[in-house]
Structure formats: structure tokens, C-alpha cells
Amino acid sequence: MRISYISALLFIMLSPAITQASGIQIGRTRVIYDADKKEVPLAISNKDNERPWLIQSWTDTGDGKTRGPFIITPPLFRLDPQKEQNLRITWSGAKLPENRESLFYINVRSIPATAKADKDQNTLRLIYKTRLKLFWRPKGLEGGPTANCRDLQFSREGSQLRVINNGAYYSVFDSLHIGTTALKNIDFVAPKSTITLPLPNGATGSTLTWHCISDYGNATAAFTTSLAGK
């Protein structure tokens, strides 16, 4: 088998867990880059028993276009069946805020090999693309991500929920409930910032419960507060 060009390509955006089902397994769901590190590894494994895959990786600033201030080595390589290789992520030295985390994204594009019997045929190729959050963490920040999540402030303003993050860390939500009603389509609140979310119809109660996602990709303990405002 070999990597070859074909006539049609289909790009699919996937989470790391779904990418594993395609044959490629990514070692983490997020990457924390501590400022005192020279580089951070990210393991990529090919769980396929037969096919090699072509792996291409890069970072961006969140808009999907502007490259992030990190170098990934190797940027493009072939990964044979049942093999693993580490991506080496290195900060370029670009100036970043020192009083808070910065968020970037790692993109991993996985392209399966084509069987020799199919190389001269018109074939639809699925190309899997995964995006992972990359948090740049300066030295000397107070507290930690879990305490930062616990200390978020919430208030209700009519049909909207106001969320204030006075800390230095990103708080990425695993779940957020007002009473028994789940708030959907909420991702994170950036450090030293405020977001406003529309409340679902019928959301009642004065108790707010939430979990964040830890550095290890699992949910934190539940935090609860009484919701102020009307």
C-alpha cells in the first residue's frame, strides 16, 4: 500500500475520540504548554492493522487561517500500521501575555493510504481533521484551572446569563445547568473576561451547577452557586 493522489477528497472535522475510530489515535484532548518548557510532545498512534496514514499538523490562532506562534515537528510524515510517533510542539518565541493564559489550536489532518488495486480508479477519500485546544500557560500565575472554574461569577439578567472570569486561566465548560435545565452550545470563558449567554425557554430556579474540563480532559467536581439577578 502507498499514499497516492485520488480524484475526490472529503474533509471531515472530528473530535479526538472519533479520530481514533478512523485508525489514528491522538494521545490527548488538549495540550498545556507551560512557558518553562522547551517543547511539548503529542503522541499520534496508527491503530490500523494494514494501512499507513499521512499525518499533517499545524497550529492556528482560532480563526482557522492565521498560523499560531508554535512550530510542530515533523509537520508532515507517514505513520505505518501499529506505529506511534510524537509530534514535538515548540514555541516560536513570539511575545504573549504574561498575566494570563493564551489559547491556540492544533490541527491534525489524517489521510489514509490507497490500496494498489484502487490507485487508478476514481475513489472518494475521507480526510479526517481534528482540532485540539492548545493553552499557553505563563509562569507564576496565581491559583490553578480548577480553582479558577470554582471562582467563576454568574448573574441572571432577564433572559440572559452573565459569566465573569476574573482569573488568569481559561475555564472550559463540561456542563452548565440552571436548575435542571442544561445550557447548550457553551464552550469556554476566557481569562479576565465576561460572556453573556441566552437562557433556554423555561429555564427556572436560582441554583446554578457546572463542571469544567481539567488539564487531563476529564470533568472537574461539580460547583454550585445561588444565581443572583432576575
Side-chain angles (χ1 to χ4, degrees):
M1 302 181 75
R2 64 187 181 91
I3 301 292
S4 61
Y5 292 102
I6 58 175
S7 60
L9 301 176
L10 177 63
F11 289 86
I12 300 179
M13 291 291 294
L14 295 174
S15 70
I18 299 176
T19 304
Q20 180 177 351
S22 73
I24 296 300
Q25 178 178 334
I26 299 176
R28 299 184 235 171
T29 61
R30 65 224 326 82
V31 172
I32 311 299
Y33 198 120
D34 292 308
D36 58 353
K37 302 292 185 182
K38 291 185 177 180
E39 63 179 40
V40 174
L42 178 62
I44 307 289
S45 302
N46 182 358
K47 298 300 183 180
D48 201 311
N49 290 321
E50 298 181 357
R51 292 183 301 179
W53 288 66
L54 188 65
I55 308 298
Q56 183 181 22
S57 306
W58 69 97
T59 65
D60 68 61
T61 59
D63 61 6
K65 299 177 182 179
T66 308
R67 291 297 176 105
F70 297 89
I71 300 167
I72 296 183
T73 308
L76 181 68
F77 64 96
R78 169 182 165 135
L79 189 58
D80 288 327
Q82 298 298 311
K83 297 295 184 180
E84 177 178 306
Q85 180 161 333
N86 276 338
L87 299 178
R88 300 192 306 277
I89 305 166
T90 307
W91 175 46
S92 69
K95 186 170 179 59
L96 296 171
E98 297 181 358
N99 65 340
R100 70 190 71 182
E101 285 186 328
S102 297
L103 174 62
F104 301 92
Y105 289 85
I106 299 173
N107 301 275
V108 180
R109 183 178 292 162
S110 309
I111 308 172
T114 302
K116 291 182 179 180
D118 298 331
K119 67 179 182 178
D120 295 325
Q121 300 179 8
N122 290 332
T123 307
L124 181 65
R125 174 83 64 86
L126 298 181
I127 296 180
Y128 301 88
K129 181 182 175 184
T130 305
R131 277 169 70 82
L132 292 79
K133 290 182 174 67
L134 167 61
F135 297 96
W136 162 263
R137 185 169 293 170
K139 294 182 289 186
L141 296 184
E142 294 184 0
T146 300
N148 196 99
C149 174
R150 178 198 63 205
D151 294 338
L152 293 176
Q153 298 177 15
F154 301 86
S155 62
R156 183 170 186 165
E157 300 175 354
S159 61
Q160 294 185 321
L161 179 69
R162 193 164 181 252
V163 186
I164 302 174
N165 180 0
N166 289 318
Y169 299 83
Y170 276 83
S171 284
V172 182
F173 289 98
D174 176 74
S175 64
L176 178 61
H177 289 79
I178 177 170
T180 58
T181 303
L183 276 70
K184 305 293 186 181
N185 302 319
I186 175 172
D187 190 5
F188 61 79
V189 55
K192 305 184 185 302
S193 68
T194 300
I195 60 173
T196 302
L197 306 170
L199 290 171
N201 293 332
T204 59
S206 59
T207 301
L208 198 74
T209 305
W210 70 100
H211 299 77
C212 291
I213 300 177
S214 74
D215 285 354
Y216 304 101
N218 57 347
T220 64
F223 301 110
T224 302
T225 189
S226 295
L227 191 58
K230 297 182 179 180

